[in-house]
Amino acid sequence: MGQERRDIATRSDIVVLLEDFYAAAFADPLLGPVFVDVARMDLAAHLPRLADFWEVTLLKRGTYQGNALAPHRALHALHPLTAEHFDTWLALWTAAVENRFAGPAATRAIVQAGRVAAAMRKRLDVPNPSWTAAPEGRRMLPLSGHAE
């Protein structure tokens, strides 16, 4: 049987989670090229800022003040992000959390990542294919601004 998982409780836990996640993301055939070739992400330089964000989000302490949308908007302009990119990101994040942690903060990490992904998709105007079709016999409501 596997090792008992504990909850995310410290900044060190967050750093380990981020390292696990990015190891998987950089190796992923869809996300890896975006992080490595397009964004040219320097994880060593970026990790402290990511840890700041997640420390505020999960542990309610820290000093993150930033605009996560701006770099993603620039990346999206270089290499349009799709629903599959966000779904893969979220699946890898969820797996990284669940592989190592369990508890209220771990659950918050998964829930908040879903919220972050949804907000980014909306702000970058990335369609969600699972939401585009109206039920049979019904018209699409003009909620997203996308015309059919």
Side-chain angles (χ1 to χ4, degrees), residues 35-76:
F35 282 120
V36 175
D37 300 328
V38 180
R40 298 187 184 273
M41 184 176 179
D42 177 354
L43 187 57
H46 197 49
L47 191 75
R49 190 168 179 89
L50 291 164
D52 288 348
F53 171 81
W54 286 107
E55 187 174 20
V56 168
T57 301
L58 301 178
L59 305 179
K60 307 298 185 215
R61 61 180 179 250
T63 59
Y64 178 80
Q65 293 179 345
N67 176 359
L69 180 61
H72 291 89
R73 190 174 302 251
L75 176 62
H76 185 60

Side-chain angles (χ1 to χ4, degrees), residues 73-128:
R73 190 174 302 251
L75 176 62
H76 185 60
L78 291 173
H79 182 91
L81 301 172
T82 66
E84 187 178 5
H85 287 105
F86 286 97
D87 292 345
T88 301
W89 179 87
L90 189 55
L92 292 175
W93 177 261
T94 299
V97 172
E98 291 177 344
N99 184 52
R100 196 176 287 268
F101 300 103
T107 299
R108 267 195 317 278
I110 294 168
V111 170
Q112 185 62 23
R115 290 179 180 149
V116 167
M120 288 283 180
R121 284 169 75 153
K122 182 177 180 176
R123 290 181 177 152
L124 297 175
D125 200 25
V126 176
N128 185 340

